[in-house]
Amino acid sequence: MKRKKRKNMLQVRKKRMKPRILVVGNYTFDIVNDKTSDGGSPIYSSLGIKYAGGIVDILSGEERAIFKIDISDSSSRKLILMRKGSNIDLANINHYSYVDGILINPVCQEVKALYALPKPLSIDLQGFVRNCIESHEIENSEDIDDIVVPAQYLVAHANYDEVSAIDGNITKLIKLGFKELLISYGRDGFDLITYTSSKWFPVHEIGNFEIGNGDFLLGAYFTFRLKGYSPIDAASLSKKLVEDFSNLRLH
């Protein structure tokens, strides 16, 4: 009996050391300054999970979204939705009961709302707050009341523009039940906000790759948290990986 119990404990420890995470979101075709490339959260969040030491499963719609992205020399970015992707039915998550956590990162409203899920959860707010009108530039909405935060929820990510557009900003997100927030500022790094503290993580080694950094950050941070790292340690380790990612050292 003792030998069997010890074996089970080792299995649990091994599982926590390399967590398996389901990424929910659509692939995209990104037209960046007239050059087309593959994109979307299944690529960039999955890279963050992989390099933080996790294993990835993906739940995506059949049809990709298409974005046109114009990046100027000043690093300002104009994002236009050319075509919406397929909707994703969260009922299909029931087929992934074996995963250790779920990362929901829609690119443009392919996930309409959330309900309680029996796993640790991370959410990127980008696909919930975007207006998603085809042939129009992406704008952010203040309405996120449809987001229901399950009891085991862990972390959310948004960039500064997305948070600023939300009525009530960070206070509203905390009241909705978000326990940990990552707020990205592009080349100025990101904040980690919890119920009791806020800490800024500046990016010291800034790269020129401008797409997918927030998706990558959330994937890496969530993986480190599932591996048992504290929020501060998870953010510190993720910052270094994001620097490598933005300098094309991890592609």
Side-chain angles (χ1 to χ4, degrees):
M1 288 294 294
K2 291 183 178 179
R3 182 176 297 175
K4 183 177 181 180
K5 184 177 181 179
R6 184 177 181 184
K7 180 180 179 181
N8 288 338
M9 289 177 65
L10 289 174
Q11 288 175 340
V12 171
R13 185 179 301 172
K14 183 177 180 181
K15 184 177 181 180
R16 290 187 63 192
M17 289 301 292
K18 204 170 184 68
R20 193 171 198 116
I21 298 172
L22 175 65
V23 176
V24 181
N26 277 339
Y27 289 95
T28 67
F29 287 121
D30 296 335
I31 307 170
V32 184
N33 294 343
D34 297 325
K35 295 181 180 180
T36 302
S37 61
D38 294 324
S41 55
I43 291 178
Y44 299 123
S45 286
S46 294
L47 281 172
I49 293 168
K50 174 184 175 183
Y51 283 102
I55 302 171
V56 180
D57 283 67
I58 294 172
L59 175 58
S60 182
E62 293 184 2
E63 188 173 80
R64 297 185 180 210
I66 300 176
F67 289 98
K68 183 179 180 183
I69 306 172
D70 293 326
I71 302 176
S72 69
D73 293 337
S74 62
S75 296
S76 64
R77 184 166 66 174
K78 183 177 181 181
L79 184 65
I80 299 172
L81 177 66
M82 307 304 294
R83 187 186 74 188
K84 292 184 66 173
S86 303
N87 290 336
I88 298 175
D89 186 356
L90 286 187
N92 291 323
I93 285 180
N94 295 330
H95 300 299
Y96 298 89
S97 59
Y98 53 85
V99 299
D100 301 300
I102 300 171
L103 191 157
I104 297 182
N105 189 356
V107 295
C108 222
Q109 295 186 10
E110 65 267 32
V111 177
K112 297 300 183 182
L114 301 178
Y115 56 89
L117 299 170
K119 298 285 182 180
L121 186 66
S122 58
I123 301 171
D124 198 302
L125 295 176
Q126 64 176 0
F128 292 100
V129 301
R130 287 173 170 174
N131 56 345
C132 298
I133 302 172
E134 292 185 349
S135 301
H136 286 69
E137 184 175 359
I138 289 293
E139 296 179 354
N140 297 315
S141 167
E142 65 180 28
D143 183 13
I144 58 167
D145 293 330
D146 287 339
I147 295 182
V148 177
V149 181
Q152 290 196 41
Y153 173 82
L154 184 60
V155 61
H157 170 265
N159 65 35
Y160 176 74
D161 291 335
E162 291 159 355
V163 171
S164 298
I166 296 171
D167 183 24
N169 306 121
I170 292 172
T171 301
K172 180 170 186 175
L173 297 175
I174 295 294
K175 287 182 178 179
L176 283 172
F178 294 94
K179 295 180 176 65
E180 297 165 20
L181 301 174
L182 296 169
I183 311 299
S184 294
Y185 301 97
R187 291 174 171 261
D188 292 324
F190 63 91
D191 280 329
L192 169 64
I193 300 172
T194 68
Y195 287 147
T196 59
S197 65
S198 174
K199 182 176 175 57
W200 175 47
F201 290 83
V203 179
H204 297 297
E205 192 176 355
I206 301 171
N208 293 320
F209 192 77
E210 300 283 347
I211 299 172
N213 286 276
D215 301 328
F216 184 97
L217 170 64
L218 179 60
Y221 179 86
F222 187 47
T223 304
F224 285 127
R225 290 291 283 123
L226 290 180
K227 292 172 73 173
Y229 288 88
S230 70
I232 295 295
D233 288 344
S236 296
L237 291 167
S238 299
K239 182 182 81 74
K240 174 57 180 172
L241 287 179
V242 169
E243 288 176 338
D244 289 340
F245 175 75
S246 69
N247 282 280
L248 302 179
R249 289 195 290 261
L250 296 181
H251 292 245

